[in-house]
Amino acid sequence: MSRRCFWVLCLLLAPFACLPAARVADSLVRIQATSQDPNYRVPWAGGNVISGVGAGFIIDSNRIMTNAHVVSNSRFLLVSKEGDPKPYLARVLFIAHDCDLALLTVDDPNFFKGTTALPFGGIPAIESTVSVYGYPIGGDRLSVTRGIVSRIDFQPYTHSGVDSHLTIQIDAAINPGNSGGPVLQDGKVVGVAFQGYSGDVAQNVGYMIPTPVVRRFLKDIEDGRYDKYVDLSLSYHSLHNPAMRRALGLSDEDTGVVVGDVFGGGNSDGVLKTGDVLLAIDGLPIASDGTVKMDSGDPVEMAEVVERKFRGEKVKFHILRDGKEEDVILPLTHSWPFTLQAYAYDEKPRFVVFGGLVFQPVDANFMREHDPADLRLRYYFDHFISDHLYRDRQEIITLSTILADPVNAYAGDFRYSIVDTINGQKIRKLDDLAEALKKPADYYVIEMVGQGRPLVLEKQAVDQARERIRARYGVVNEQQL
Amino acid sequence: MNSSFSPMRRFSLTITALVALVPALHAAATRPNQPAATPKPAASEVTAASLVRVNSTNQSYDFFRPWTKKAPSFRKGLGVVVEKNRILVTAELVTNSTYIELEDPVTNARVAGQVITVDYDSNLALLAPSDENFLKDAKPLALDKDAVVGDHIELLQLETNGLVAQTPGTITTIAVAPYPLGQLALLTFRISSPIQSRDSSFTIPAVRNGDLVGLLMRYDSRSQSADIIPAPIIAHFLADATQATYQGFPRVGLGYSPTRDPQLRRYVGLKDDGGVYITAIRPGGAAAKAGLKRGDVILAVAGKQINQDGEFDHPLYGKLTFSHLTSTDAKVGDKVDFVVLRDGQKQTIPVTLEAVDRSSIASDPYIFDKQPRYLVVGGLVFQELSRPYLQEWGSSWSKEAPQRLVALDAFQDEDTTPNRGKIVFLSQVFPTASALGYQDLEHLVVSKVNDVPIKSLDDLAKAIANPKNGFHKIEFDDDPPIIYLDAVESEKSDAQIRQEYGIPELKNLN
């Protein structure tokens, strides 16, 4: 959006630096990933083993860049070069699920012989032509498609489901197998192909991750660790209404947005307050629609200022609070504090089995797999953040599955209920539940959120049922915390 | 039984009309599946003199645009003449009626009708003709309250020529089941009958030996089963209708769970059979006032033992849900003893039965025959949350409607704040000069206006009369938390909305 200066440079230098397709082939990698998705219905068992093909490309320091979703939950990774039949064993160096990027390497030094590391470019101009390289729909040979740059803006990244970053839309279709492949213009990588658009309303729409996002990822991992994006963890509202502006004591210069909600545990918690008017961020005036003019002068969402920062950095706000202007410094120490609405990868599902009752924390993976119709559970999941339900509990713990046995013969009505207390002890996270069920008691009285009877389990009956249930249902592990 | 008894297609088989002249032949022709053992109808036949065709034009309000009504629909049913020149029909037939036409089935004389008493809980309504003479030759039906499972009844329909067509049915099940309009579960007879679609099918009387056994309210043609509102419910309704103020069916205001689980039974100290666990007490209801509490185990009600599924032994019907004792066998104001087990001790707690105080309901489960309340201020449309508003999202409204509002409605009884009032929310915004920048706001629950807490639209109307420093300050229980309107500009916008958006009235607070 705001980096037109980069592409001006590129265009000037590029015509003579054009890489022929033969050279691109020296950089392109076909990735065959065998992965095992976690099983949120039978959480003690591994999930389906599936294999898929994606693309990647070689960058400096013997590294291969691809999408996080190509190598998520991977158990076994093979990479091969164009024109070389030999597959090589690869491993993941870094993976960033919030921006769908990953870096791999191959330990066999022969792999990188004769390859070319691709350089990165800037943001391509709207209407300029780019080439997409990859292995769409699973073929073994390189495929090239061309498209023009249609739009540059913030878009959701579907891999995590909750993150939005700068994205470039092109009119070349991006299909499975294109993922992770380089998008080139004038011999330089201007993006990483990552998602398409499926739907009835649009065709020939593909999206790529632009180089500012890629460069940020590469910089973040320089210290050997990926720290994720940092963010403000607040909501703000445009200030277009003249009465609203006057009531807040604003002059009519069309600047400022008002803070709506400050999410507990986020970076703004304790620094900014509901009702503060944000006038400037790092010295850049904030327009009444929440945009700032960065770099080239094109308006860009205020969030982009923070997007470019790393954990441990600070952001400075000029604000109007209670009618007085002041400066506040906001240290960016966390990423977004609520992970339950993001799809998780490379993590084992957590659960506790007790008396044949399977308790699980509710998150995006759980909801995708179980798709429960329960009104309360859906409400708690969807509104956990917006309705501040997190103040009462860190996680939503639900009774997800009943492994039928005489001990739980009457527990059917409690499926997808949310556990509130056990023997009077508040259950705020799965660890609390595991702990409460370890305490000696004659009865375990489980109260659910809302109106219902308690679910009562007799310790003796649970103990007697334990081996029976383990054996019958093949419960190899009774908890994963 | 999924499909309700819908307004049916006009039945125009000429063969039926021809054979109808000879009732015996007609029966043979139209009841091929009738078991041979069905006894012949008894001597005292019901004639058209006890029946009135009721043709109702109904028009409900559009809750998304509460200033307008939806397109009219038409329902036809067969009313039963009862004492005092009244006609008994199902409430469903005349709900949201704009015009009711009463038609003499023999002479086809027509007069206007008027709803005298309606009870949505029991799905019953009493109509009166505009002309006293309309029913002068009518024969009122008496109630037969003795029907039990296995008894045979006749369902009455009218041929186009005014002759009564009877279809036999057998009572197969008697239970307390949910009624279609209100929220109560009441005594219901399920019958098995090969009844056919006909004109005037929205209310169908069921009779035995010339007396009324009930009114049909639901029919499933595939299983050939129907639910009828039985005479005991009708008797309760008719008795209440004679009172100066209609009180209706009382309710206790509690939720319970069976105690089949032996682990639960041992935990609460239940040694004998029976008993149900109280899971919820409706705030401000009769049970709450009497001091019943969540966790109490109900052992007996009105002297009847309650089993672990919440049933008592009814002398006529066998096992029946105990709410029958407090809803149908009792009336508002009666005192009913509840024997409960609390902390291991038996206690007798008298409960004085009440009608539901509708004003204490945060989100109304139904609104019939009434325009929804709303208030437009500077382009902002405010409404009170109700189930019918949410139901405007269609059959899967509980998934489609705004989840926060759905949750507020569904879990309203869990909010025990005293005098919590109605849930007032901003439903939509008309783009106007005064609402500039607010046009995308919707479904936000209002907490305060001009610093006054809002518990109803009346509160809001009062608060709007007192702007602060020329502004209306509107606070939400939501994000954004506060918006401001210019008080003068918003009045100008209101005039504009009336004209440009064609809204006749900017409020309805009735």
Side-chain angles (χ1 to χ4, degrees), chain A residues 13-27:
Chain A
L13 302 174
F16 307 103
C18 217
L19 276 176
R23 295 271 314 275
V24 175
D26 294 344
S27 311

Side-chain angles (χ1 to χ4, degrees), chain A residues 235 237 376 387 452 458, chain B residues 263 266 294 404 414 479 486:
Chain A
S235 72
H237 300 279
R376 191 188 305 270
D387 281 4
E458 284 167 326
Chain B
Q263 295 179 92
R266 285 192 285 270
R294 179 179 187 271
R404 187 146 188 266
E414 294 172 23
D479 192 12
D486 184 303

Side-chain angles (χ1 to χ4, degrees), chain B residues 89-212:
Chain B
V89 292
T90 58
E92 234 177 340
L93 173 64
V94 293
T95 295
N96 297 319
S97 62
T98 45
Y99 180 67
I100 299 170
E101 180 187 75
L102 305 176
E103 182 184 338
D104 185 310
V106 180
T107 66
N108 285 3
R110 295 168 192 224
V111 298
Q114 189 194 348
V115 177
I116 300 298
T117 309
V118 61
D119 183 302
Y120 306 111
D121 287 330
S122 62
N123 191 15
L124 290 170
L126 273 183
L127 312 179
S130 58
D131 177 356
E132 287 285 311
N133 292 324
F134 180 72
L135 292 176
K136 72 177 187 316
D137 300 324
K139 279 195 252 166
L141 284 189
L143 293 179
D144 174 354
K145 292 194 276 184
D146 302 326
V148 295
V149 168
D151 284 356
H152 300 288
I153 56 160
E154 301 289 331
L155 292 169
L156 305 184
Q157 291 171 292
L158 281 176
E159 302 294 357
T160 42
N161 60 8
L163 281 182
V164 176
Q166 302 197 354
T167 311
T170 308
I171 300 172
T172 56
T173 316
I174 293 180
V176 172
Y179 270 42
L181 294 182
Q183 282 199 302
L184 276 188
L186 293 170
L187 191 68
T188 307
F189 288 2
R190 175 149 300 175
I191 59 165
S192 158
S193 170
I195 190 165
Q196 298 184 2
S197 297
R198 243 172 242 265
D199 200 6
S200 300
S201 290
F202 222 90
T203 294
I204 294 180
V207 299
R208 184 172 71 154
N209 300 331
D211 293 333
L212 186 66

Side-chain angles (χ1 to χ4, degrees), chain A residues 34-45:
Chain A
T34 304
S35 50
Q36 187 177 26
D37 288 340
N39 186 341
Y40 280 80
R41 282 193 176 271
V42 189
W44 50 88

Side-chain angles (χ1 to χ4, degrees), chain A residues 245-267:
Chain A
R245 299 185 62 81
R246 273 185 286 122
L248 291 171
L250 284 164
S251 57
D252 242 348
E253 279 166 22
D254 213 31
T255 55
V257 290
V258 63
V259 174
D261 200 355
V262 178
F263 300 113
N267 286 318

